[in-house]
Amino acid sequence: MEQHTITEILNRPISRELLSRDLLRLAYVAKDGTPRNIPIAFTWNGSQIVLCTTKNAPKLHSLRHNPQVALTIDTEVHPPKILLVRGRAELDVVDGIPEEYLQMNGSYEMTPEQRVEWEAEVRSLYDGMVRIVITPTWAKLIDFDTTLPTAVEELVRQRAERQQA
């Protein structure tokens, strides 16, 4: 998929709304060769999706072996709004706590006192983390109004062709 097409899809209002959510689902191939799909907090920096994890997370071995990932960000209402993204994960080991981690977890409701306690606990637990930086190589927005799943689009096209015949 061309970069300008990816950018256009990710800049749509519904995509931007979805990219401001708290969680996405990360799909990757695990160490044993089977698929995994996990919920994980994320942040969007305008061109990349950033996840943060512990330095001993099992997914890191898998992502080093096969960095290809698929992401889903969606809503829980009907009809759902769904943003599908594929990309390549790059791993960046950092000392301390990445700002993105504090940002993505800062959206939860906490009093200022709870926030101070939470951040102190995080800083005492982690001596470093791994930033998983995903650059989109493919994207599709499904809103069931202007866009549909590919298979449904095909059925709609076939029905229209039958009706014209």
Side-chain angles (χ1 to χ4, degrees), residues 8-90:
E8 186 274 322
I9 292 168
L10 297 178
N11 281 331
R12 292 178 188 168
I14 294 171
S15 296
R16 308 234 351 142
E17 178 185 321
L18 291 167
L19 287 164
S20 69
R21 293 179 65 89
D22 294 329
L23 293 175
L24 58 73
R25 289 174 196 77
L26 168 68
Y28 63 97
V29 179
K31 185 177 181 177
D32 65 2
T34 60
R36 296 288 190 278
N37 191 332
I38 62 166
I40 188 168
F42 77 100
T43 189
W44 169 248
N45 67 17
S47 61
Q48 298 168 314
I49 294 169
V50 181
L51 320 171
C52 295
T53 194
T54 61
K55 293 192 295 187
N56 63 341
K59 65 183 152 291
L60 297 175
H61 172 82
S62 300
L63 293 173
R64 284 184 183 101
H65 180 70
N66 181 354
Q68 300 302 316
V69 297
L71 312 172
T72 302
I73 309 168
D74 56 357
T75 61
E76 299 81 24
V77 297
H78 186 76
K81 308 292 186 237
I82 305 164
L83 182 61
L84 304 172
V85 177
R86 294 181 203 148
R88 180 179 180 85
E90 293 181 31

